Amino acid sequence: MIELLVDNRDLFLTGFRNTILLFLLAGIGALVVGTLLAAMRVSPVPVLRLLGGGYVNIFRNTPLTLVFFFFAFAYPRLDLLDVSFFTRAVLALIVYTAAFVCEVVRSGINTVDVGQAEASRALGLTFTQTLTTIVVPQAIRSVVPPLTSVLNALLKNTTVAAGFAVAEAGQITPTLSERGASVLIGMVWIAIGFLILVIPLTATQRTLEKRWSVAR
Amino acid sequence: MKLQAMAVGLLVSGLVLVACGRETSPGAGNTTVTAPNVAHNVTVVGSPTFARMTQRGTVIIGVKNDQPGLGYLNPRTNKYEGFDIEMARLIAAKLGFDPNTKIQYQAIPSAAREQSIINGQIDYYVGTYTINDARKKLIAFAGPYFIAGQSLLVKADDQSITGPETLKGKRVCSATGSTPIRRVREQNLTDKIVEFQNYSQCVDQLLAGQVDAVTTDDAILKGYAAQDPQHLKVVGKPFSQEPYGVGLPHGDDALRAKMNDILDAAAQDGTWQTIYHATLGVSGSDATPPAVDRY
């Protein structure tokens, strides 16, 4: 069983390296875009609320594969900026995951007592100041566990990119099959690989939860 | 214009996605290219696969559904057609199963072929399945029933690619984990390799200008070129030999011998030629049946 891993280490190394790269880039992107979307959805401007809500409704209800199909097959026909398949995979993952991040952050914002916002407004803080210095720091605490779940799902979703010309972990099995190696044992190793990748995520969740747990 | 392109793109993505979800379509594939006589009272002593088929009353055949001329699910008729399909039907008929009513087709992508045979998900596989030693360790092959060779598909107006040695620096597309992609990598023909799940997606990328060439067996490429001769052409001589076989469970020597007999007979009595001219031969090229390899 270990032989398979050693014989095909090139495959596993490049595969998981690309998976981690996809995850990190898409994760950061989705957190940024998702938080902005959440800010839009709770903002006092109706147009922004409408846009944020529309975005979430569209992309949370679209299969990820379809988003990938769009970026892989329809995007080049739009004659826009020509970007690599890898970049397009990152974009697809950001666009999709941001909708989920947005809802998680928004639910966190809703856990902050409305009195907090009212008090900060009474002190003369603007909407942006209220959000960034009063509400979001408190909201983040309650969203650590669900946000970890979203990032976890993102990590696994990266394997969809294998079908769209990005050589990540999802591409290991077809190549193993071509090399005549056992696909089943290969899958066991891939599962182990993903478990190893999830451990730091869960550990971060635990640390953050502990550090930020305060009585309210 | 851009909006239109986007709408078309979305529509296409949707259709492709729907197509992906479709896996079995029992009863489809009543093409009438050939109407092989159904054999009666067939017995294959000592074949667990044949016993399973007989008990079920139908035969489940793994095929390709996106290779025009070979294994293709025609979206207009919703029926399977092509050279591989006809071979699969012929074998079924000679094993005693009416090809019009007793066949269930399952579209299986290249990378999942061995595993689906090992798992017993299909009885046998007919779909541009290259016989090689690595695969012989996992499954058994009857045949070969056709010899193809790796070639290149490019845009009709492309003058820069004329053969494998002209690929340096070009973006080349093929199916994930397929033999042609491994050959490109091993012979270091180019370092810009793009992999998609199936060849039709590669052809789409070629038409969209995202890759410069699609490489796989000439038989497959000719099928695409014949569909869209205004935009696509096959260039260069084949640079490999790909003997296509019928994949069946490892160790089932009885069924393998029986299938080899069927293929032998088809080559002798002219059935092979009839099938070839009705499917792949439409493009105008000639071919002769290869001798089966009873390893």
Side-chain angles (χ1 to χ4, degrees):
Chain A
M1 196 170 152
I2 194 90
E3 273 168 37
L4 184 136
L5 194 62
V6 175
D7 291 347
N8 299 291
R9 57 185 180 282
D10 56 322
L11 203 59
F12 279 91
L13 281 177
T14 50
F16 274 104
R17 196 195 61 209
N18 278 335
T19 295
I20 294 169
L21 222 56
L22 271 180
F23 168 71
L24 288 178
L25 293 173
I28 293 167
L31 283 178
V32 172
V33 177
T35 311
L36 286 177
L37 281 170
M40 279 167 76
R41 289 204 71 176
V42 299
S43 78
V45 187
V47 179
L48 289 183
R49 281 207 300 272
L50 199 74
L51 284 176
Y55 181 96
V56 169
N57 270 323
I58 289 172
F59 287 104
R60 206 167 52 152
N61 296 318
T62 310
L64 177 60
T65 325
L66 198 63
V67 180
F68 264 100
F69 263 110
F70 173 78
F71 276 101
F73 294 101
Y75 180 86
R77 289 187 162 76
L78 296 178
D79 293 328
L80 301 173
L81 191 66
D82 195 14
V83 293
S84 72
F85 284 111
F86 184 86
T87 315
R88 279 188 255 159
V90 172
L91 284 176
L93 287 169
I94 290 177
V95 161
Y96 178 80
T97 316
F100 291 87
V101 172
C102 165
E103 289 302 274
V104 166
V105 172
R106 194 170 65 94
S107 71
I109 289 172
N110 286 339
T111 64
V112 180
D113 196 275
V114 72
Q116 298 278 324
E118 284 167 357
S120 58
R121 291 283 286 283
L123 289 172
L125 299 183
T126 64
F127 170 75
T128 319
Q129 282 173 323
T130 308
L131 204 63
T132 53
T133 62
I134 309 289
V135 179
V136 168
Q138 294 187 69
I140 285 287
R141 283 174 190 165
S142 57
V143 302
V144 169
L147 206 53
T148 315
S149 296
V150 169
L151 290 177
N152 228 317
L154 168 66
L155 179 63
K156 290 177 279 182
N157 283 343
T158 55
T159 47
V160 177
F164 300 90
V166 178
E168 39 75 18
Q171 207 172 26
I172 294 173
T173 42
T175 316
L176 280 181
S177 139
E178 159 62 20
R179 289 183 181 180
S182 164
V183 172
L184 270 173
I185 296 177
M187 288 212 189
V188 172
W189 280 116
I190 293 168
I192 293 173
F194 271 100
L195 281 177
I196 293 172
L197 287 184
V198 168
I199 289 169
L201 270 182
T202 329
T204 319
Q205 173 189 347
R206 214 163 288 153
T207 319
L208 289 182
E209 264 187 283
K210 243 181 229 154
R211 184 183 301 169
W212 287 344
S213 65
V214 284
R216 270 202 271 171
Chain B
M1 188 59 211
K2 273 185 184 175
L3 208 70
Q4 200 185 0
M6 190 151 105
V8 169
L10 275 174
L11 200 69
V12 168
S13 342
L15 286 176
V16 173
L17 202 70
V18 169
C20 285
R22 160 168 235 102
E23 278 187 351
T24 40
S25 45
N30 308 328
T31 38
T32 45
V33 172
T34 54
N37 296 324
V38 182
H40 293 287
N41 304 324
V42 185
T43 49
V44 184
V45 182
S47 165
T49 318
F50 186 77
R52 189 175 65 193
M53 282 153 53
T54 321
Q55 204 188 4
R56 197 193 299 118
T58 58
V59 44
I60 303 177
I61 309 178
V63 292
K64 293 270 176 76
N65 65 356
D66 68 329
Q67 292 174 355
L70 287 154
Y72 186 60
L73 180 60
N74 191 326
R76 267 171 304 201
T77 58
N78 198 25
K79 282 174 183 159
Y80 280 95
E81 57 188 41
F83 185 76
D84 286 340
I85 302 295
E86 294 301 327
M87 279 295 162
R89 286 162 53 82
L90 175 75
I91 293 170
K94 298 298 176 196
L95 288 175
F97 295 89
D98 185 343
N100 293 327
T101 54
K102 301 285 189 207
I103 296 183
Q104 279 178 278
Y105 292 102
Q106 259 199 45
I108 305 227
S110 296
R113 290 184 290 201
E114 287 84 31
Q115 204 60 47
S116 61
I117 293 173
I118 293 169
N119 293 351
Q121 191 185 338
I122 53 174
D123 295 323
Y124 59 90
Y125 191 97
V126 192
T128 63
Y129 206 175
T130 302
I131 301 173
N132 67 34
D133 290 339
R135 286 174 183 164
K136 275 183 188 169
K137 283 183 207 151
L138 299 166
I139 59 148
F141 281 107
Y145 61 91
F146 190 77
I147 306 280
Q150 186 170 350
S151 198
L152 299 166
L153 181 76
V154 297
K155 277 197 172 177
D157 54 4
D158 189 331
Q159 304 295 335
S160 62
I161 299 174
T162 52
E165 62 288 340
T166 54
L167 284 178
K168 271 269 171 301
K170 302 282 188 184
R171 294 164 299 181
V172 177
C173 186
S174 197
T176 311
S178 61
T179 317
I181 216 82
R182 191 182 62 176
R183 192 167 292 119
V184 168
R185 209 166 264 145
E186 275 170 4
Q187 300 184 359
N188 207 12
L189 297 175
T190 180
D191 51 357
K192 291 180 183 156
I193 294 169
V194 177
E195 300 182 45
F196 275 92
Q197 263 168 334
N198 47 47
Y199 297 114
S200 45
Q201 293 179 342
C202 277
V203 174
D204 189 274
Q205 294 292 341
L206 177 65
L207 290 169
Q210 293 295 296
V211 299
D212 303 304
V214 178
T215 184
T216 183
D217 306 345
D218 53 354
I220 300 170
L221 297 179
K222 277 178 191 161
Y224 289 115
Q227 266 195 336
D228 193 359
Q230 279 192 317
H231 298 105
L232 300 169
K233 64 175 179 187
V234 179
V235 293
K237 287 204 177 73
F239 50 102
S240 75
Q241 280 237 322
E242 308 289 342
Y244 288 168
V246 179
L248 58 152
H250 195 253
D252 198 338
D253 292 339
L255 187 61
R256 181 155 62 90
K258 176 73 185 163
M259 284 190 184
N260 279 334
D261 292 343
I262 295 171
L263 294 172
D264 242 353
Q268 303 294 333
D269 66 13
T271 315
W272 193 96
Q273 287 289 353
T274 314
I275 292 175
Y276 179 81
H277 285 299
T279 52
L280 280 179
V282 173
S283 61
S285 55
D286 267 326
T288 48
V292 298
D293 172 23
R294 296 171 190 268
Y295 63 89

